[in-house]
Structures are given as C-alpha cells and as structure tokens.
Amino acid sequence: MLNVWRPGSLFVILFVGSAVPLGELVGSFADSDAQFVTLLSDTGNRIGYVAGSVLLLLAGLAFVWFAHALSFDTGAFRAPLLVTGAAAAIGMIVAALAFATVPLSLLVGSFFGDPGLESGQAVLPQFGYVALGLGGTLPAAIFIAIAARTPDLLPRWLSISSYPVAVLVALTAFLFLPFVLFVLWVVAATVAVSRRGRP
C-alpha cells in the first residue's frame, strides 16, 4: 500500500508556490508584446519567473508520484490513471520550460553582457499558458473522471462530486478556475484517501 499524503501535499505546495511568482506572467496571456517586454525588463521579475517555473516543473514531477500512489492496486484502472496523470504532468513541465526560457535567456545574457532573447519575448510565455491550459488541465480532467470511476478508490461523496469538477476543469481550460478546482480536488482526494487508509 502506498501513502498519497506526501505526494499529494508536495504537489499542492509546489503548484501553489509556483502560482505566486508566475501569476502576473500567466495573467498577461493575450496581452500585447509590450506588456511582456515590460514585465521581463525587470530583473526581480525574471528571477521570480525562473523560480516559479522550477516549482511548476517540480509540481509536475510530484503529480506523477501522486498519480502512482493513488493508482496503486487499482487493477485495470491503474494504467489509465498513470497515463492521464503523466500527460497532465507533461503539460505542466512543458509550460514550466516555456515560462522559464525567456527570463532565463535574459538573466544569462545580462550576466555575460549579451542581450539575450530580444524579439518575440511574448511567444513562449503565451505558449506556456496554452500548454498548461490545454496540455495540463485536459488530461487532469480525464484523470479526475477516471479516479471517480475507479471502484473503492474515493469515498462516494468525492466520486460523485468529481464528475462535475472534471467537466468544469475541461470546459474552462483557458480560465483561472480549472487550476483552482484541480488543486482543491487533489487536496480532497489526498485527505479522503489518507483517512480511509487506501491506497
């Protein structure tokens, strides 16, 4: 039997921790190029975006651990849970790499007296938002639905409520709401499964 408490808690801490420094960058999705140039011109912002990206990447890895622990001993449902969990994690990791590329290029460039990435600074952060919004939340929605369907995995109240949560996460992929719902669902699943002693 595997304990979901540690991976679930670690994922929540890392994901929420990444949202703090990345919030303004993520929130600038669909803004003008000038907005991104302004944000990335500040050295403090650049350091924060790189740090937030590292936390998001680690959150993706922690989610793989969580999916592994949650799916342990679930029979035929194990592979779908692991695949969708890994897909959600890959979306987070790709987003983290996209968010980190421009600020890291500018930081390294300033350290060596080079300009770093000068043109197209808005493209990769906006791609990061899409990678997180589509690549991360859509597989996460499927993961939630599969977990809800898995016999004896979640308590009945959480299984029933997981279906509308999965639908909301999928339908609102480009809004802030799915990230909040997804993290709250992981908290609920972690607490509920840990209290029941399974897996």
Side-chain angles (χ1 to χ4, degrees), residues 33 36-37 40 102 117-126:
D33 288 5
F36 287 92
V37 171
L40 292 162
V102 177
L117 186 64
E118 292 184 291
S119 61
Q121 292 184 7
V123 174
L124 284 169
Q126 298 208 57

Side-chain angles (χ1 to χ4, degrees), residues 1-4 65-82 146-147 149-154 193 196-199:
M1 298 295 236
L2 294 179
N3 189 338
V4 299
W65 184 19
F66 173 75
H68 169 67
L70 190 68
S71 66
F72 188 78
D73 199 25
T74 55
F77 289 86
R78 181 165 172 75
L81 283 167
L82 287 175
I146 294 170
R149 189 177 167 86
T150 303
D152 302 320
L153 178 60
L154 303 174
V193 172
R196 293 178 66 180
R198 116 145 229 94

Side-chain angles (χ1 to χ4, degrees), residues 15 23 40 42 51 66 70 83 90 110 167 176:
F15 193 91
L40 292 162
D42 183 80
F66 173 75
L70 190 68
V83 168
I90 289 169
S110 66
V167 170
F176 184 72

